[in-house]
Amino acid sequence: MGKIKVTIDYKPLEIEEGTTVLHAARQAGIGIPTLCYFQLHDMGIENNPGGCRICVVEIEGRRNLAPACVTVCTDGMVIKTNTIRVLNSRRTVLELILSNHPADCLICAKSGNCELQTLAHRLGVRQIAYQGEQSHFREDRSPSIIRDIDKCIMCRRCEMMCNEVQTVGALSAINRGFDSVVAPAFEQDLIKSPCTYCGQCVAVCPTGALTEIDHTPEILRALADPTKTVVVQTAPAVRVALGEEFGMPVGTIVTGKMAASLRRLGFDYVFDTDFAADLTIMEEGTELLGRISAFLAGDKDVKLPILTSCCPGWVNFLEYNFPNMKDVPSTAKSPQQMFGAIAKTYFADKINVKREDLIVVSVMPCLAKKYECQRDEFKVDNDPDVNYSISTRELAALIKQANISFHELPDEDFDNPLGESSGAAPIFGVTGGVIEAAMRTAYELFTGQKLEKVDFIELRGLEGVRKATIKMGDQDIHIGIANGLGNARKLLEMVNKGEADFHAIEIMACPAGCIGGGGQPLHHGDSSIIKKRAAAIYEEDRNKPIRKSHENSYIIKLYEEFLGKPCNEKAHHLLHTHYFDKSTVIEGTVDVENN
Amino acid sequence: MAYIKLVESSLKTIKDICASFGYRKGDLINVLHKVQGALGYLSAETQEAVAKELGISAATVYGVVSFYSFFTMKPKGNHPISICMGTACYVRGAEKVVNEFKKQLGVEIGETTEDGVFSLTCLRCVGACGLAPVVTVGEKVYGHVVPDGVEGILNEYK
């Protein structure tokens, strides 16, 4: 591509041919405001419908203003981004968008984090000259996500995420004109759609139209109930993002402050999902080795590749889209659910508390976890193993409500016996991490030799689909990794067509893995935030004295005291699950006329 | 598994039409046009079947069906009545004609009478502006329609 010359706000600039006005301006340090436009740079995610008209600019020689996000620069173009005409037009566009937007900013779940609100502030809108008709759609409350569609501004970011990035196909723009909104087919509720609850629509929604179900009131009630013992577990990706909610630099590791804040909130025991991640490796790693060993011994019926099963968004996706493969994933429950099962048996017995008096709360970077913990197969006598799952954002809200000065907290440790973890556990929070953790243990069990180099660099990275070969002794193990459900689809279609010879595949539903989850602090399209969280996850791993799951002394003790051996009958009963066919089948019925 | 039931002959019609377009996703509008022509309307079940055949989401199909006013999700009456609300017809009193049809049939625009005989829709210009206001019943075109003539038109089909 050649270079061309343009002038933006009297500033001459040389840019690559094909650059849009928006990106050319950014290169010149000029931040043209946008609303519907969305991009996660380097991650292949872009929403560019050119619909909202907030980014209009004046181009010399053109009669009409042009939207910067979809206008490609031409050689010699003279662009002005801040003339009185542009500023007035931009403000009018925004006033029109606001004219039928519910003005409940004071109590909106997105207040303070809303891109529409930020824009109104930035453009100095102090009055709205137009009064538009209000829409009155019913609120849709799924187990994970609330759709308050009166607040939809038709930026269509969620539609792009759901269809292009995740290929889930739960959402589409429907109707026309004033009635147009983004909704599931036939305007049904999300629960009746193929939604996986990955929450990526929530992660990119600029307004309060898509938010998570808020479980903080239930948790405050449980903490205040003297008859209940309340324990909490925190997922690996939470500790590298929670600090952002308190204005700390992105990538700050706040594990110690998080544990301290949970103790001050009144949780009786502050535990760690990382412990359950190590437990997952014991079960999933054993299953992986069992299948590979059987395959190498010539067993033709063994299901390979083994697919990881930690991610509930991915499990939902499999159940809807690849029901023919429902016997292929590892049967190991996710760390969240393994933790719940152990807490309500092994730990409840240890502290002599009845199951119904023990409340298990999880803090997750994820919205699909809310759905997962309510699945029937994870309940005993209608009592869920994990009672409530809250997001990183909800934990931050709880800490703020409880007057806890997060910055000033000391670093504290998790409680035992369910709080100890190896370095293999935190990396569950980033794409490639689960399989790396599994390989650290599988290698030693398979070869009987000590693994000297625990860092499998070849499994790391943020590309959507990755392949790597790991040597275990003389044996080559072929591994596939996908992050984002669209990428998972690509890998699975290769497997379905017999085009791939993987032994194991790791899948995480969210781009970059849990660090980019739907329950994390909002990144507003800044991919550097996700990269810094990934770096922090690996730092957390490096800082651990023990790096392999099977060396975690509390895991060893759990097997000695309670479970016996990995994948034995007791472990299967408590720590393994099965999957369902949730696909839609069109069935022909006999014609009425023929009866 | 979720089962969606469709009459076998309708399902075959849908499959044949999708096959005739080579299952091309880009031909969704044409497929829907043909399917509506064959089955009369596009039920939710029909849309699910089209989605499955073309390998796209039901939400995408519904997005298209709900966008274009030509597509309908309700069964039409035996005698579909369409009143032109294009500019020429509108200024020559089409709205009064619409109101008279609504009154006589007891239905709103987009609805079908309880006995299934008539359905009422509006459309934008049939290209016969010289005859404004224009009403069509099935394939038959009526020109220069006035509210007093509505009863006579309906009586032809009773």
Side-chain angles (χ1 to χ4, degrees), chain A residues 72-264:
Chain A
V72 176
C73 292
T74 54
D75 196 31
M77 198 180 248
V78 178
I79 302 151
K80 290 183 185 129
T81 75
N82 57 8
T83 62
I84 183 80
R85 186 178 167 213
V86 166
L87 294 181
N88 282 340
S89 177
R90 226 174 246 162
R91 197 177 296 117
T92 303
V93 166
L94 186 58
E95 282 182 42
L96 285 167
I97 292 171
L98 292 171
S99 71
N100 67 346
H101 194 83
D104 61 353
C105 296
L106 279 174
I107 52 168
C108 178
K110 230 17 177 321
S111 189
N113 223 336
C114 169
E115 291 179 36
L116 188 62
Q117 192 180 42
T118 306
L119 198 59
H121 186 67
R122 175 172 165 187
L123 299 194
V125 176
R126 289 288 170 267
Q127 57 182 10
I128 300 165
Y130 315 96
Q131 202 176 0
E133 191 185 335
Q134 283 289 320
S135 61
H136 295 285
F137 289 94
R138 83 196 133 78
E139 195 179 73
D140 171 11
R141 297 176 74 89
S142 73
S144 296
I145 295 166
I146 305 175
R147 291 175 55 247
D148 184 359
I149 290 307
D150 292 334
K151 291 180 180 165
C152 175
I153 54 164
M154 281 305 279
C155 68
R156 305 180 73 166
R157 293 182 187 181
C158 56
E159 191 192 3
M160 178 276 298
M161 269 296 181
C162 191
N163 294 287
E164 290 168 34
V165 177
Q166 300 294 64
T167 66
V168 164
L171 296 174
S172 173
I174 60 153
N175 300 333
R176 69 192 300 169
F178 178 72
D179 296 323
S180 57
V181 284
V182 177
F186 320 119
E187 293 179 63
Q188 286 179 328
D189 290 341
L190 270 184
I191 190 85
K192 290 182 178 160
S193 79
C195 176
T196 63
Y197 305 112
C198 71
Q200 284 303 313
C201 55
V202 176
V204 300
C205 179
T207 71
L210 293 164
T211 53
E212 71 266 45
I213 292 274
D214 180 9
H215 283 114
T216 56
E218 286 92 334
I219 285 158
L220 289 172
R221 255 200 306 280
L223 290 170
D225 184 343
T227 67
K228 303 290 183 199
T229 300
V230 190
V231 308
V232 65
Q233 53 161 323
T234 57
V238 177
R239 68 206 64 189
V240 297
L242 180 64
E244 293 167 30
E245 291 280 331
F246 299 95
M248 291 173 153
V250 176
T252 307
I253 301 172
V254 296
T255 316
K257 289 191 190 322
M258 176 179 69
S261 68
L262 290 165
R263 212 160 269 132
R264 278 152 189 71

Side-chain angles (χ1 to χ4, degrees), chain A residues 163 168-177 183-188 581-593, chain B residues 1-11 43-45 47-49 52 57-60 62-64 66-69 73:
Chain A
N163 294 287
V168 164
L171 296 174
S172 173
I174 60 153
N175 300 333
R176 69 192 300 169
F186 320 119
E187 293 179 63
Q188 286 179 328
D581 180 350
K582 291 187 182 162
S583 63
T584 302
V585 177
I586 316 272
E587 204 181 41
T589 58
V590 182
D591 290 25
V592 182
E593 298 94 305
Chain B
M1 266 190 277
Y3 289 95
I4 288 170
K5 291 189 196 307
L6 253 178
V7 175
E8 189 66 51
S9 60
S10 303
L11 185 55
S43 67
E45 293 78 8
Q47 293 177 49
E48 293 268 12
K52 193 115 195 155
S57 73
T60 301
Y62 178 71
V64 170
S66 63
F67 184 86
Y68 291 103
S69 57
M73 285 185 65

Side-chain angles (χ1 to χ4, degrees), chain A residues 323-369:
Chain A
N324 67 316
M325 297 176 87
K326 74 182 166 73
D327 298 328
V328 187
S330 162
T331 57
K333 286 181 186 174
S334 71
Q336 165 176 277
Q337 293 308 133
M338 282 204 184
F339 181 95
I342 293 297
K344 289 210 174 173
T345 53
Y346 173 70
F347 179 67
D349 287 349
K350 251 187 193 305
I351 59 166
N352 204 17
V353 168
K354 280 190 287 193
R355 182 185 170 99
E356 57 268 33
D357 291 331
L358 189 69
I359 302 285
V360 176
V361 174
S362 71
V363 185
M364 295 282 146
C366 178
L367 300 188
K369 290 284 176 196

Side-chain angles (χ1 to χ4, degrees), chain A residues 13-26:
Chain A
L13 192 67
E14 199 175 68
I15 50 162
E16 289 279 333
E17 216 176 319
T19 309
T20 61
V21 172
L22 179 67
H23 287 291
R26 283 185 186 173

